[in-house]
Amino acid sequence: MMSNGVWQGVIAALRVEFLGNTILDFVIALLMFAGIFYALIFFKKITATHLKRLAEKTASDFDDFLVGSIQQIGVPVFAAAALYLSSRSLTLNPTIHKVILILLVAAVTYRAVRILQAVISYALAKTYLKGGPADPARTATLRAMTAV
C-alpha cells in the first residue's frame, strides 16, 4: 500500500506545468485519444459487419463494393480524428491546433479521393465491360483508363 507521501508526490507531479498544460491535462488528453480511437474502430467494425450482412442479402454487387470501401477507412483517419478531438482539451499554440486540423483534413481527403477513384473505376468497369464476353483488349484498356 502506498503511503500518504507517495500520493502527495504523484499529485504534485501531475500538477507540474508543461507548455501551458499540467501533466494531468496531458494524461487526460492521452486517455481521450485512446478512447476516441478505439471507439471509432469499434464503431466501424460494428457498422461494417451490419452493412456486410445486409449487402449479402442483395443481388447487386455495388453494396458489396461500398462495404469494402468503408472497411478501408482505418487507422490514419481514426488517429487524426482522435488527435484532433483530444487536443482540443489542451491549451496549445494556435499553429499547433492548425497543424493537427490540417492532418485531419489531409487524412480524410486522401481516403475520400481513394474511395471516389474506386467508385469511378467500378462505374467504368460496369459500363465498359457490360454486355460482352471477357475481351482481353477491353480489360487491358479499362486497366489503363483506371490506373492511378
Side-chain angles (χ1 to χ4, degrees), residues 10-128:
V10 169
I11 291 171
L14 290 175
R15 290 186 178 156
V16 171
E17 283 208 19
F18 180 70
L19 298 175
N21 299 284
T22 64
I23 300 300
L24 180 60
D25 293 334
F26 284 109
V27 169
I28 290 170
L30 181 64
L31 292 173
M32 285 175 56
F33 175 86
I36 293 167
F37 180 76
Y38 287 112
L40 289 171
I41 288 174
F42 178 75
F43 179 74
K44 176 192 132 184
K45 187 172 185 167
I46 296 297
T47 303
T49 301
H50 180 70
L51 291 175
K52 188 174 184 178
R53 277 193 220 128
L54 289 174
E56 289 172 351
K57 295 178 182 178
T58 64
S60 170
D61 64 343
F62 183 70
D63 48 5
D64 298 321
F65 164 78
L66 285 178
V67 170
S69 295
I70 290 170
Q71 288 176 329
Q72 291 180 2
I73 299 170
V75 173
V77 173
F78 297 154
L83 179 63
Y84 175 76
L85 293 172
S86 63
S87 71
R88 302 308 292 170
S89 68
L90 297 173
T91 303
L92 297 173
N93 183 314
T95 303
I96 294 173
H97 279 298
K98 285 182 184 178
V99 167
I100 293 171
L101 177 60
I102 289 169
L103 286 173
L104 174 61
V105 170
V108 170
T109 301
Y110 174 79
R111 181 50 47 204
V113 167
R114 296 294 296 176
I115 290 172
L116 184 60
Q117 285 176 328
V119 168
I120 291 169
S121 294
Y122 175 87
L124 283 173
K126 286 295 184 180
T127 304
Y128 193 69

